[in-house]
Amino acid sequence: MTFPSKPQSLWRLALVCGCLFIFSTTQAADDSFVANVSRAERLQLEKIVCGDPFGLAVAQIDARAMEANGRAYFADVKCRPHLQMLGQAVYHVAQCGRDGNQWSCGEPELETIVPLAQRRLLVRPGSVDLQRGVATIKKISGYGYFQGLSIDRALQSTCNLGLGNRSDLIEISCQRWSITVSFWCPQSKQDPTCPRIIYMAEH
């Protein structure tokens, strides 16, 4: 068995990252097209994203092409659920891109559904503890507004979470919105809310 040299590996990674960037901007413009993958490709994607890292089977592959009836060059891969949080499935997802006949994928991420008052929100907790991330989203979704901005409008699928530059901060990114939540909460009778939103902006 031969392994690609380091320059080849870096080149392939750069190519896939570039393809995924094009895919994400294409999706935003709604210019990509549904595509099919062969059984061999499905097995390859299942192995890369679900099988080798977690011993799981694939649940869904959303493959896309740059032209109608074209060859699939990008794919969102979703593994079968492996646990539940608040009655909702938790599973791994990854974005993949094709380099010739070989598929390469980004690091799989956890994803779950958080039920809000009127809808369901896709959330990827990232570096945040899953339970804490879900609880934070559910809590702030009930606050209504922050400095005149609708929190419900900002919480649009898919929301990605990450730890802030201090231990009390969680950063939330949902499409064009950024939200910073702090767990450092000076309590008062006027505002007992915790955690609290300290920043929210649309890009």
Side-chain angles (χ1 to χ4, degrees):
M1 178 180 295
T2 58
F3 296 90
S5 65
K6 188 172 182 180
Q8 287 177 318
S9 299
L10 293 175
W11 177 86
R12 176 171 291 172
L13 178 61
L15 177 63
V16 170
C17 290
C19 288
L20 293 178
F21 174 77
I22 294 171
F23 180 41
S24 63
T25 55
T26 302
Q27 276 190 312
D30 198 30
D31 289 335
S32 62
F33 299 86
V34 175
N36 296 317
V37 293
S38 67
R39 183 176 182 277
E41 289 176 309
R42 182 180 177 86
L43 291 173
Q44 185 181 48
L45 290 169
E46 179 181 60
K47 177 180 171 64
I48 294 171
V49 178
C50 309
D52 284 350
F54 312 112
L56 298 169
V58 71
Q60 181 180 337
I61 297 175
D62 177 19
R64 313 291 293 187
M66 299 299 292
E67 57 187 21
N69 301 315
R71 189 184 191 193
Y73 273 93
F74 320 100
D76 285 329
V77 180
K78 175 180 174 181
C79 303
R80 288 186 181 174
H82 59 282
L83 58 91
Q84 286 198 339
M85 175 66 62
L86 300 178
Q88 300 296 324
V90 180
Y91 45 88
H92 295 282
V93 294
Q95 285 191 325
C96 302
R98 183 205 295 276
D99 173 16
N101 292 321
Q102 183 70 32
W103 286 89
S104 298
C105 303
E107 193 71 24
E109 298 181 82
L110 280 182
E111 183 177 275
T112 190
I113 297 168
V114 178
L116 303 182
Q118 303 296 328
R119 57 193 172 85
R120 305 196 307 168
L121 179 69
L122 289 176
V123 172
R124 296 180 183 177
S127 55
V128 177
D129 174 77
L130 175 62
Q131 187 170 355
R132 189 184 198 199
V134 169
T136 299
I137 291 289
K138 286 187 69 68
K139 189 73 181 288
I140 69 170
S141 69
Y143 291 171
Y145 290 84
F146 173 76
Q147 297 182 349
L149 300 172
S150 169
I151 298 170
D152 185 69
R153 181 186 173 200
L155 293 176
Q156 299 294 328
S157 297
T158 300
C159 289
N160 294 275
L161 279 59
L163 296 173
N165 55 12
R166 300 198 316 259
S167 60
D168 64 297
L169 299 180
I170 290 179
E171 303 290 348
I172 304 171
S173 176
C174 308
Q175 295 190 21
R176 298 186 303 273
W177 288 87
S178 295
I179 303 171
T180 301
V181 176
S182 174
F183 283 80
W184 183 80
C185 306
Q187 296 295 307
S188 70
K189 292 182 180 179
Q190 291 76 25
D191 185 14
T193 303
C194 194
R196 61 196 178 103
I197 296 175
I198 60 174
Y199 172 82
M200 191 168 99
E202 185 177 14
H203 303 296

